[in-house]
Amino acid sequence: DTGVSQDPRHKITKRGQNVTFRCDPISEHNRLYWYRQTLGQGPEFLTYFQNEAQLEKSRLLSDRFSAERPKGSFSTLEIQRTEQGDSAMYLCASSPGGGVHSPLHFGNGTRLTVT
Amino acid sequence: KQEVTQIPAALSVPEGENLVLNCSFTDSAIYNLQWFRQDPGKGLTSLLLIQSSQREQTSGRLNASLDKSSGRSTLYIAASQPGDSATYLCAVIGGTASKLTFGTGTRLQVTL
Protein backbone atom coordinates (compact mmCIF):
# COMPACT_ATOMS: atom_id res chain seq x y z
CA ASP A 1 0.00 0.00 0.00
CA THR A 2 1.91 3.01 -1.28
CA GLY A 3 -0.90 5.48 -0.70
CA VAL A 4 -2.61 7.83 -3.12
CA SER A 5 -0.08 9.59 -5.36
CA GLN A 6 -0.66 12.93 -7.06
CA ASP A 7 1.47 14.64 -9.67
CA PRO A 8 2.65 17.36 -9.85
CA ARG A 9 2.80 18.65 -6.28
CA HIS A 10 2.81 22.25 -7.44
CA LYS A 11 1.81 23.92 -10.69
CA ILE A 12 2.12 27.58 -11.58
CA THR A 13 0.46 28.64 -14.80
CA LYS A 14 -0.62 31.77 -16.55
CA ARG A 15 -4.26 32.63 -16.94
CA GLY A 16 -5.72 31.08 -20.07
CA GLN A 17 -3.39 28.09 -20.16
CA ASN A 18 -4.54 24.48 -19.84
CA VAL A 19 -3.30 22.25 -17.02
CA THR A 20 -3.61 18.54 -16.31
CA PHE A 21 -3.17 16.74 -13.01
CA ARG A 22 -2.73 13.05 -12.42
CA CYS A 23 -3.87 10.83 -9.54
CA ASP A 24 -2.81 7.25 -8.89
CA PRO A 25 -5.13 5.67 -6.31
CA ILE A 26 -4.30 2.87 -3.93
CA SER A 27 -4.08 -0.36 -5.89
CA GLU A 28 -7.43 -2.16 -6.21
CA HIS A 29 -9.43 0.81 -4.89
CA ASN A 30 -12.31 1.06 -7.30
CA ARG A 31 -13.63 4.46 -6.13
CA LEU A 32 -11.77 7.65 -6.94
CA TYR A 33 -12.73 11.19 -5.94
CA TRP A 34 -11.53 14.68 -6.81
CA TYR A 35 -11.91 17.56 -4.34
CA ARG A 36 -10.84 21.19 -4.41
CA GLN A 37 -9.69 23.10 -1.32
CA THR A 38 -9.12 26.83 -1.06
CA LEU A 39 -7.21 28.49 1.76
CA GLY A 40 -8.98 28.26 5.11
CA GLN A 41 -11.81 26.13 3.77
CA GLY A 42 -12.66 22.46 3.85
CA PRO A 43 -12.39 20.41 0.66
CA GLU A 44 -15.30 20.63 -1.78
CA PHE A 45 -16.43 17.66 -3.85
CA LEU A 46 -15.82 17.89 -7.60
CA THR A 47 -16.40 14.45 -9.08
CA TYR A 48 -16.38 10.72 -8.39
CA PHE A 49 -15.57 7.54 -10.34
CA GLN A 50 -16.57 3.95 -9.72
CA ASN A 51 -13.99 2.06 -11.76
CA GLU A 52 -13.93 3.88 -15.12
CA ALA A 53 -17.46 5.30 -14.85
CA GLN A 54 -17.86 8.92 -13.78
CA LEU A 55 -20.96 8.70 -11.60
CA GLU A 56 -21.34 12.17 -10.19
CA LYS A 57 -20.17 15.69 -10.93
CA SER A 58 -20.56 18.76 -8.78
CA ARG A 59 -21.95 22.03 -10.11
CA LEU A 60 -18.49 23.38 -9.24
CA LEU A 61 -17.16 21.38 -12.18
CA SER A 62 -17.73 23.88 -14.97
CA ASP A 63 -17.37 22.94 -18.62
CA ARG A 64 -13.72 24.01 -18.44
CA PHE A 65 -13.05 21.05 -16.17
CA SER A 66 -12.88 17.46 -17.34
CA ALA A 67 -11.90 14.31 -15.50
CA GLU A 68 -11.17 10.87 -16.85
CA ARG A 69 -10.32 7.44 -15.53
CA PRO A 70 -9.98 5.49 -18.73
CA LYS A 71 -8.90 2.10 -17.43
CA GLY A 72 -10.31 2.32 -13.95
CA SER A 73 -6.88 2.90 -12.45
CA PHE A 74 -5.25 6.36 -12.57
CA SER A 75 -7.27 9.50 -13.20
CA THR A 76 -6.57 12.86 -14.79
CA LEU A 77 -8.19 16.22 -14.10
CA GLU A 78 -7.81 18.83 -16.83
CA ILE A 79 -8.65 22.51 -16.50
CA GLN A 80 -8.90 24.45 -19.74
CA ARG A 81 -8.46 28.23 -20.06
CA THR A 82 -7.46 28.58 -16.42
CA GLU A 83 -8.72 31.55 -14.39
CA GLN A 84 -7.29 33.09 -11.23
CA GLY A 85 -10.27 31.68 -9.32
CA ASP A 86 -9.05 28.17 -10.15
CA SER A 87 -6.09 28.65 -7.79
CA ALA A 88 -6.53 26.01 -5.10
CA MET A 89 -5.31 22.67 -3.80
CA TYR A 90 -6.73 19.80 -5.85
CA LEU A 91 -7.04 16.65 -3.79
CA CYS A 92 -7.59 13.11 -4.97
CA ALA A 93 -8.91 10.33 -2.77
CA SER A 94 -9.68 6.67 -3.22
CA SER A 95 -11.61 4.02 -1.35
CA PRO A 96 -12.10 0.31 -1.81
CA GLY A 97 -15.83 0.74 -2.30
CA GLY A 98 -18.00 -1.97 -0.85
CA GLY A 99 -20.49 0.39 0.71
CA VAL A 100 -20.66 3.79 2.33
CA HIS A 101 -18.52 2.90 5.31
CA SER A 102 -15.19 2.61 3.54
CA PRO A 103 -12.92 5.45 4.65
CA LEU A 104 -11.42 7.71 2.01
CA HIS A 105 -7.65 7.86 1.65
CA PHE A 106 -6.33 11.18 0.37
CA GLY A 107 -3.21 12.10 -1.56
CA ASN A 108 -1.05 15.12 -0.74
CA GLY A 109 -2.72 17.20 -3.43
CA THR A 110 -1.64 19.37 -6.32
CA ARG A 111 -1.40 23.06 -5.52
CA LEU A 112 -2.37 25.19 -8.52
CA THR A 113 -1.46 28.87 -8.76
CA VAL A 114 -2.87 30.82 -11.69
CA THR A 115 -1.09 34.14 -12.28
CA LYS B 1 -28.24 21.03 1.42
CA GLN B 2 -25.96 19.59 4.09
CA GLU B 3 -23.87 22.14 5.99
CA VAL B 4 -21.09 21.22 8.40
CA THR B 5 -19.81 23.66 11.02
CA GLN B 6 -16.77 23.32 13.24
CA ILE B 7 -16.17 25.29 16.41
CA PRO B 8 -13.79 26.72 17.40
CA ALA B 9 -12.01 27.78 14.22
CA ALA B 10 -8.71 27.89 16.08
CA LEU B 11 -7.50 26.63 19.42
CA SER B 12 -4.22 26.91 21.32
CA VAL B 13 -3.55 24.74 24.37
CA PRO B 14 -0.50 23.88 26.46
CA GLU B 15 1.00 20.44 26.15
CA GLY B 16 -0.69 17.79 28.27
CA GLU B 17 -4.17 19.28 28.24
CA ASN B 18 -7.22 17.31 27.20
CA LEU B 19 -9.35 19.03 24.58
CA VAL B 20 -12.58 18.73 22.64
CA LEU B 21 -13.27 19.75 19.06
CA ASN B 22 -16.85 20.21 17.95
CA CYS B 23 -18.62 19.45 14.68
CA SER B 24 -22.28 20.00 13.83
CA PHE B 25 -24.26 19.15 10.72
CA THR B 26 -27.68 20.30 9.57
CA ASP B 27 -29.10 17.12 7.99
CA SER B 28 -29.13 14.15 10.36
CA ALA B 29 -29.68 11.67 7.50
CA ILE B 30 -26.04 10.65 7.31
CA TYR B 31 -24.37 7.31 6.66
CA ASN B 32 -21.20 8.07 8.57
CA LEU B 33 -18.97 10.82 9.90
CA GLN B 34 -15.22 10.92 9.44
CA TRP B 35 -12.56 12.97 11.27
CA PHE B 36 -9.40 13.93 9.39
CA ARG B 37 -6.13 15.61 10.23
CA GLN B 38 -4.40 17.97 7.79
CA ASP B 39 -0.87 19.25 8.21
CA PRO B 40 0.07 22.50 6.41
CA GLY B 41 0.39 22.01 2.66
CA LYS B 42 -0.46 18.33 2.91
CA GLY B 43 -3.37 16.06 2.16
CA LEU B 44 -5.81 14.63 4.67
CA THR B 45 -5.14 11.73 7.02
CA SER B 46 -8.17 9.77 8.18
CA LEU B 47 -8.34 9.53 11.97
CA LEU B 48 -11.67 7.94 12.80
CA LEU B 49 -14.84 6.91 10.99
CA ILE B 50 -18.11 6.54 12.90
CA GLN B 51 -20.98 4.75 11.22
CA SER B 52 -24.44 6.24 11.69
CA SER B 53 -25.44 3.32 13.92
CA GLN B 54 -22.47 3.84 16.25
CA ARG B 55 -22.07 6.25 19.16
CA GLU B 56 -18.29 6.47 19.36
CA GLN B 57 -14.96 5.26 18.07
CA THR B 58 -11.58 5.26 19.77
CA SER B 59 -8.04 5.17 18.47
CA GLY B 60 -5.21 5.68 20.91
CA ARG B 61 -5.58 9.12 22.53
CA LEU B 62 -8.46 10.03 20.21
CA ASN B 63 -12.14 9.45 20.91
CA ALA B 64 -14.90 10.55 18.56
CA SER B 65 -18.56 10.57 19.50
CA LEU B 66 -21.64 10.92 17.34
CA ASP B 67 -25.13 12.11 18.28
CA LYS B 68 -26.88 11.73 14.97
CA SER B 69 -30.29 12.96 16.11
CA SER B 70 -28.90 16.28 17.33
CA GLY B 71 -26.46 16.59 14.43
CA ARG B 72 -23.32 16.72 16.53
CA SER B 73 -19.96 15.04 16.84
CA THR B 74 -17.00 15.67 19.11
CA LEU B 75 -13.36 14.70 18.82
CA TYR B 76 -11.67 14.30 22.19
CA ILE B 77 -7.88 14.40 22.31
CA ALA B 78 -6.30 13.24 25.54
CA ALA B 79 -2.94 14.42 26.86
CA SER B 80 -2.22 16.67 23.88
CA GLN B 81 1.29 16.81 22.40
CA PRO B 82 3.01 19.36 20.13
CA GLY B 83 2.84 16.77 17.33
CA ASP B 84 -0.94 17.02 17.47
CA SER B 85 -0.73 20.53 16.04
CA ALA B 86 -2.65 20.49 12.76
CA THR B 87 -6.04 21.31 11.28
CA TYR B 88 -8.79 18.87 12.16
CA LEU B 89 -11.65 18.43 9.72
CA CYS B 90 -14.90 16.57 10.11
CA ALA B 91 -16.93 15.35 7.16
CA VAL B 92 -20.22 13.52 6.66
CA ILE B 93 -21.57 11.24 3.99
CA GLY B 94 -25.27 11.87 3.59
CA GLY B 95 -28.05 11.21 1.14
CA THR B 96 -25.69 11.02 -1.80
CA ALA B 97 -23.47 8.24 -0.59
CA SER B 98 -20.58 9.00 -2.84
CA LYS B 99 -19.28 12.23 -1.43
CA LEU B 100 -18.12 13.79 1.82
CA THR B 101 -19.28 17.23 2.92
CA PHE B 102 -16.56 18.89 4.97
CA GLY B 103 -16.51 21.50 7.68
CA THR B 104 -13.98 24.34 7.54
CA GLY B 105 -11.81 22.78 10.21
CA THR B 106 -10.34 23.64 13.60
CA ARG B 107 -6.71 24.74 13.59
CA LEU B 108 -5.06 23.32 16.71
CA GLN B 109 -1.77 24.46 18.18
CA VAL B 110 -0.27 22.61 21.13
CA THR B 111 2.44 24.63 22.81
CA LEU B 112 5.35 23.47 24.96
Side-chain angles (χ1 to χ4, degrees):
Chain A
D1 182 352
T2 57
V4 177
S5 177
Q6 292 189 245
D7 184 69
R9 288 296 311 279
H10 304 275
K11 178 70 176 178
I12 300 174
T13 191
K14 292 184 178 180
R15 188 178 56 184
Q17 297 295 304
N18 300 342
V19 294
T20 300
F21 310 141
R22 177 180 169 123
C23 171
D24 287 89
I26 293 172
S27 179
E28 298 182 356
H29 277 195
N30 55 35
R31 291 185 179 178
L32 187 147
Y33 306 78
W34 284 99
Y35 285 80
R36 181 172 71 185
Q37 186 178 27
T38 53
L39 199 61
Q41 301 297 313
E44 296 174 293
F45 172 81
L46 292 179
T47 190
Y48 150 64
F49 290 85
Q50 175 91 23
N51 299 312
E52 65 275 10
Q54 188 173 19
L55 297 186
E56 188 173 349
K57 292 193 292 187
S58 164
R59 294 175 191 174
L60 295 174
L61 213 65
S62 75
D63 56 6
R64 296 185 298 106
F65 288 71
S66 64
E68 294 182 343
R69 195 184 183 196
K71 297 182 180 179
S73 56
F74 73 92
S75 176
T76 58
L77 178 67
E78 180 182 17
I79 309 175
Q80 295 181 329
R81 305 181 303 281
T82 52
E83 302 173 355
Q84 287 188 323
D86 297 331
S87 295
M89 175 81 87
Y90 290 83
L91 293 162
C92 177
S94 69
S95 75
V100 300
H101 300 305
S102 299
L104 270 65
H105 301 263
F106 281 82
N108 281 328
T110 293
R111 180 168 295 285
L112 173 66
T113 302
V114 182
T115 61
Chain B
K1 177 187 173 185
Q2 178 74 269
E3 292 184 1
V4 180
T5 304
Q6 291 187 246
I7 294 174
L11 181 64
S12 181
V13 300
E15 181 180 15
E17 272 204 7
N18 303 325
L19 60 102
V20 175
L21 307 181
N22 297 292
C23 172
S24 61
F25 45 95
T26 54
D27 185 349
S28 61
I30 64 169
Y31 291 105
N32 65 49
L33 182 144
Q34 201 166 350
W35 282 94
F36 293 88
R37 168 187 173 135
Q38 187 173 33
D39 293 290
K42 301 287 188 180
L44 282 66
T45 300
S46 179
L47 298 174
L48 290 163
L49 182 148
I50 310 177
Q51 299 180 20
S52 59
S53 59
Q54 298 174 328
R55 297 284 294 182
E56 64 179 287
Q57 282 287 329
T58 298
S59 176
R61 295 183 292 109
L62 304 180
N63 176 276
S65 68
L66 174 64
D67 184 341
K68 183 181 165 185
S69 61
S70 67
R72 293 179 183 177
S73 175
T74 61
L75 179 66
Y76 175 83
I77 302 177
S80 58
Q81 302 171 358
D84 295 331
S85 299
T87 296
Y88 291 81
L89 294 152
C90 74
V92 298
I93 286 185
T96 302
S98 58
K99 64 185 183 187
L100 290 168
T101 301
F102 282 86
T104 54
T106 294
R107 190 171 65 253
L108 172 65
Q109 183 175 10
V110 181
T111 58
L112 291 170

